[in-house]
PDB file of all heavy atoms in Angstrom:
ATOM      1  N   ARG A  35      40.653 -59.380  36.849  1.00 96.00           N
ATOM      2  CA  ARG A  35      41.102 -57.976  36.829  1.00 96.00           C
ATOM      3  C   ARG A  35      40.122 -57.197  35.974  1.00 96.00           C
ATOM      4  O   ARG A  35      39.682 -57.662  34.919  1.00 96.00           O
ATOM      5  CB  ARG A  35      42.510 -57.891  36.229  1.00 96.00           C
ATOM      6  CG  ARG A  35      43.022 -56.474  36.025  1.00 96.00           C
ATOM      7  CD  ARG A  35      43.959 -56.053  37.129  1.00 96.00           C
ATOM      8  NE  ARG A  35      44.578 -54.765  36.847  1.00 96.00           N
ATOM      9  CZ  ARG A  35      44.411 -53.696  37.608  1.00 96.00           C
ATOM     10  NH1 ARG A  35      43.691 -53.759  38.707  1.00 96.00           N
ATOM     11  NH2 ARG A  35      45.002 -52.559  37.304  1.00 96.00           N
ATOM     12  N   VAL A  37      39.350 -52.906  34.781  1.00 96.00           N
ATOM     13  CA  VAL A  37      39.822 -51.525  34.799  1.00 96.00           C
ATOM     14  C   VAL A  37      38.860 -50.660  33.985  1.00 96.00           C
ATOM     15  O   VAL A  37      38.462 -51.039  32.878  1.00 96.00           O
ATOM     16  CB  VAL A  37      41.238 -51.423  34.176  1.00 96.00           C
ATOM     17  CG1 VAL A  37      41.750 -49.999  34.195  1.00 96.00           C
ATOM     18  CG2 VAL A  37      42.212 -52.351  34.875  1.00 96.00           C
ATOM     19  N   LEU A  56      45.388 -49.733  27.870  1.00 95.00           N
ATOM     20  CA  LEU A  56      45.587 -49.767  29.319  1.00 95.00           C
ATOM     21  C   LEU A  56      46.952 -49.201  29.661  1.00 95.00           C
ATOM     22  O   LEU A  56      47.914 -49.386  28.907  1.00 95.00           O
ATOM     23  CB  LEU A  56      45.555 -51.212  29.827  1.00 95.00           C
ATOM     24  CG  LEU A  56      44.228 -51.924  29.786  1.00 95.00           C
ATOM     25  CD1 LEU A  56      44.428 -53.414  29.890  1.00 95.00           C
ATOM     26  CD2 LEU A  56      43.370 -51.426  30.927  1.00 95.00           C
ATOM     27  N   ASN A  57      47.060 -48.596  30.819  1.00 92.00           N
ATOM     28  CA  ASN A  57      48.330 -48.055  31.268  1.00 92.00           C
ATOM     29  C   ASN A  57      49.318 -49.187  31.521  1.00 92.00           C
ATOM     30  O   ASN A  57      49.026 -50.126  32.251  1.00 92.00           O
ATOM     31  CB  ASN A  57      48.126 -47.230  32.535  1.00 92.00           C
ATOM     32  CG  ASN A  57      49.307 -46.376  32.854  1.00 92.00           C
ATOM     33  OD1 ASN A  57      50.440 -46.849  32.876  1.00 92.00           O
ATOM     34  ND2 ASN A  57      49.057 -45.113  33.106  1.00 92.00           N
ATOM     35  N   VAL A  58      50.470 -49.104  30.894  1.00 91.00           N
ATOM     36  CA  VAL A  58      51.470 -50.162  31.005  1.00 91.00           C
ATOM     37  C   VAL A  58      52.249 -50.080  32.321  1.00 91.00           C
ATOM     38  O   VAL A  58      52.877 -51.057  32.727  1.00 91.00           O
ATOM     39  CB  VAL A  58      52.418 -50.137  29.780  1.00 91.00           C
ATOM     40  CG1 VAL A  58      53.422 -49.006  29.874  1.00 91.00           C
ATOM     41  CG2 VAL A  58      53.108 -51.461  29.592  1.00 91.00           C
ATOM     42  N   SER A  59      52.191 -48.951  33.010  1.00 91.00           N
ATOM     43  CA  SER A  59      52.977 -48.799  34.236  1.00 91.00           C
ATOM     44  C   SER A  59      52.420 -49.600  35.409  1.00 91.00           C
ATOM     45  O   SER A  59      53.120 -49.809  36.394  1.00 91.00           O
ATOM     46  CB  SER A  59      53.099 -47.324  34.623  1.00 91.00           C
ATOM     47  OG  SER A  59      51.844 -46.825  35.029  1.00 91.00           O
ATOM     48  N   ASN A  60      51.183 -50.052  35.324  1.00 90.00           N
ATOM     49  CA  ASN A  60      50.601 -50.846  36.397  1.00 90.00           C
ATOM     50  C   ASN A  60      50.938 -52.318  36.157  1.00 90.00           C
ATOM     51  O   ASN A  60      50.423 -52.920  35.215  1.00 90.00           O
ATOM     52  CB  ASN A  60      49.089 -50.648  36.452  1.00 90.00           C
ATOM     53  CG  ASN A  60      48.473 -51.306  37.670  1.00 90.00           C
ATOM     54  OD1 ASN A  60      48.943 -52.333  38.145  1.00 90.00           O
ATOM     55  ND2 ASN A  60      47.407 -50.715  38.170  1.00 90.00           N
ATOM     56  N   PRO A  61      51.783 -52.919  36.994  1.00 90.00           N
ATOM     57  CA  PRO A  61      52.188 -54.310  36.762  1.00 90.00           C
ATOM     58  C   PRO A  61      51.021 -55.295  36.818  1.00 90.00           C
ATOM     59  O   PRO A  61      51.101 -56.370  36.234  1.00 90.00           O
ATOM     60  CB  PRO A  61      53.210 -54.581  37.867  1.00 90.00           C
ATOM     61  CG  PRO A  61      52.998 -53.524  38.889  1.00 90.00           C
ATOM     62  CD  PRO A  61      52.396 -52.341  38.187  1.00 90.00           C
ATOM     63  N   ARG A  62      49.938 -54.938  37.489  1.00 92.00           N
ATOM     64  CA  ARG A  62      48.776 -55.830  37.564  1.00 92.00           C
ATOM     65  C   ARG A  62      48.080 -55.975  36.212  1.00 92.00           C
ATOM     66  O   ARG A  62      47.350 -56.921  35.991  1.00 92.00           O
ATOM     67  CB  ARG A  62      47.803 -55.326  38.629  1.00 92.00           C
ATOM     68  CG  ARG A  62      48.419 -55.449  40.027  1.00 92.00           C
ATOM     69  CD  ARG A  62      47.528 -54.953  41.126  1.00 92.00           C
ATOM     70  NE  ARG A  62      46.194 -55.503  41.047  1.00 92.00           N
ATOM     71  CZ  ARG A  62      45.126 -54.891  41.519  1.00 92.00           C
ATOM     72  NH1 ARG A  62      45.233 -53.725  42.105  1.00 92.00           N
ATOM     73  NH2 ARG A  62      43.940 -55.449  41.422  1.00 92.00           N
ATOM     74  N   ASN A  63      48.340 -55.036  35.280  1.00 93.00           N
ATOM     75  CA  ASN A  63      47.723 -55.126  33.957  1.00 93.00           C
ATOM     76  C   ASN A  63      48.368 -56.184  33.070  1.00 93.00           C
ATOM     77  O   ASN A  63      47.841 -56.518  32.017  1.00 93.00           O
ATOM     78  CB  ASN A  63      47.739 -53.762  33.267  1.00 93.00           C
ATOM     79  CG  ASN A  63      46.709 -52.825  33.856  1.00 93.00           C
ATOM     80  OD1 ASN A  63      45.775 -53.255  34.535  1.00 93.00           O
ATOM     81  ND2 ASN A  63      46.877 -51.540  33.630  1.00 93.00           N
ATOM     82  N   ASP A  64      49.498 -56.758  33.497  1.00 94.00           N
ATOM     83  CA  ASP A  64      50.138 -57.813  32.717  1.00 94.00           C
ATOM     84  C   ASP A  64      49.250 -59.057  32.612  1.00 94.00           C
ATOM     85  O   ASP A  64      49.435 -59.883  31.729  1.00 94.00           O
ATOM     86  CB  ASP A  64      51.503 -58.167  33.309  1.00 94.00           C
ATOM     87  CG  ASP A  64      52.315 -59.028  32.363  1.00 94.00           C
ATOM     88  OD1 ASP A  64      52.425 -58.683  31.160  1.00 94.00           O
ATOM     89  OD2 ASP A  64      52.828 -60.080  32.811  1.00 94.00           O
ATOM     90  N   ILE A  65      48.279 -59.186  33.497  1.00 96.00           N
ATOM     91  CA  ILE A  65      47.357 -60.318  33.451  1.00 96.00           C
ATOM     92  C   ILE A  65      46.602 -60.378  32.106  1.00 96.00           C
ATOM     93  O   ILE A  65      46.231 -61.448  31.644  1.00 96.00           O
ATOM     94  CB  ILE A  65      46.368 -60.292  34.640  1.00 96.00           C
ATOM     95  CG1 ILE A  65      45.563 -61.592  34.707  1.00 96.00           C
ATOM     96  CG2 ILE A  65      45.465 -59.068  34.568  1.00 96.00           C
ATOM     97  CD1 ILE A  65      44.684 -61.694  35.946  1.00 96.00           C
ATOM     98  N   PHE A  66      46.413 -59.236  31.458  1.00 96.00           N
ATOM     99  CA  PHE A  66      45.720 -59.227  30.164  1.00 96.00           C
ATOM    100  C   PHE A  66      46.548 -59.958  29.107  1.00 96.00           C
ATOM    101  O   PHE A  66      46.006 -60.672  28.260  1.00 96.00           O
ATOM    102  CB  PHE A  66      45.406 -57.794  29.725  1.00 96.00           C
ATOM    103  CG  PHE A  66      44.322 -57.165  30.541  1.00 96.00           C
ATOM    104  CD1 PHE A  66      44.615 -56.420  31.674  1.00 96.00           C
ATOM    105  CD2 PHE A  66      42.987 -57.314  30.178  1.00 96.00           C
ATOM    106  CE1 PHE A  66      43.610 -55.849  32.436  1.00 96.00           C
ATOM    107  CE2 PHE A  66      41.971 -56.748  30.931  1.00 96.00           C
ATOM    108  CZ  PHE A  66      42.279 -56.015  32.066  1.00 96.00           C
ATOM    109  N   ARG A  67      47.850 -59.809  29.172  1.00 95.00           N
ATOM    110  CA  ARG A  67      48.729 -60.527  28.243  1.00 95.00           C
ATOM    111  C   ARG A  67      48.753 -62.013  28.583  1.00 95.00           C
ATOM    112  O   ARG A  67      48.622 -62.863  27.711  1.00 95.00           O
ATOM    113  CB  ARG A  67      50.152 -59.950  28.313  1.00 95.00           C
ATOM    114  CG  ARG A  67      51.142 -60.668  27.386  1.00 95.00           C
ATOM    115  CD  ARG A  67      52.575 -60.236  27.640  1.00 95.00           C
ATOM    116  NE  ARG A  67      53.017 -60.447  29.013  1.00 95.00           N
ATOM    117  CZ  ARG A  67      53.394 -61.618  29.523  1.00 95.00           C
ATOM    118  NH1 ARG A  67      53.381 -62.700  28.775  1.00 95.00           N
ATOM    119  NH2 ARG A  67      53.791 -61.710  30.768  1.00 95.00           N
ATOM    120  N   LYS A  68      48.894 -62.321  29.865  1.00 97.00           N
ATOM    121  CA  LYS A  68      48.989 -63.717  30.291  1.00 97.00           C
ATOM    122  C   LYS A  68      47.722 -64.509  29.974  1.00 97.00           C
ATOM    123  O   LYS A  68      47.799 -65.668  29.593  1.00 97.00           O
ATOM    124  CB  LYS A  68      49.260 -63.790  31.794  1.00 97.00           C
ATOM    125  CG  LYS A  68      50.628 -63.351  32.204  1.00 97.00           C
ATOM    126  CD  LYS A  68      50.754 -63.434  33.718  1.00 97.00           C
ATOM    127  CE  LYS A  68      52.079 -62.903  34.205  1.00 97.00           C
ATOM    128  NZ  LYS A  68      52.127 -62.868  35.684  1.00 97.00           N
ATOM    129  N   MET A 136      49.590 -50.022  26.808  1.00 96.00           N
ATOM    130  CA  MET A 136      49.535 -51.247  26.033  1.00 96.00           C
ATOM    131  C   MET A 136      48.214 -51.236  25.266  1.00 96.00           C
ATOM    132  O   MET A 136      47.189 -50.816  25.799  1.00 96.00           O
ATOM    133  CB  MET A 136      49.643 -52.494  26.923  1.00 96.00           C
ATOM    134  CG  MET A 136      48.479 -52.713  27.855  1.00 96.00           C
ATOM    135  SD  MET A 136      48.542 -54.277  28.767  1.00 96.00           S
ATOM    136  CE  MET A 136      49.808 -53.941  29.955  1.00 96.00           C
TER     137      MET A 136
END
Side-chain angles (χ1 to χ4, degrees):
R35 174 100 173 118
V37 180
L56 291 162
N57 194 310
V58 76
S59 69
N60 188 328
R62 293 179 50 207
N63 286 342
D64 192 49
I65 189 174
F66 288 92
R67 179 189 57 78
K68 289 178 184 174
M136 66 174 74

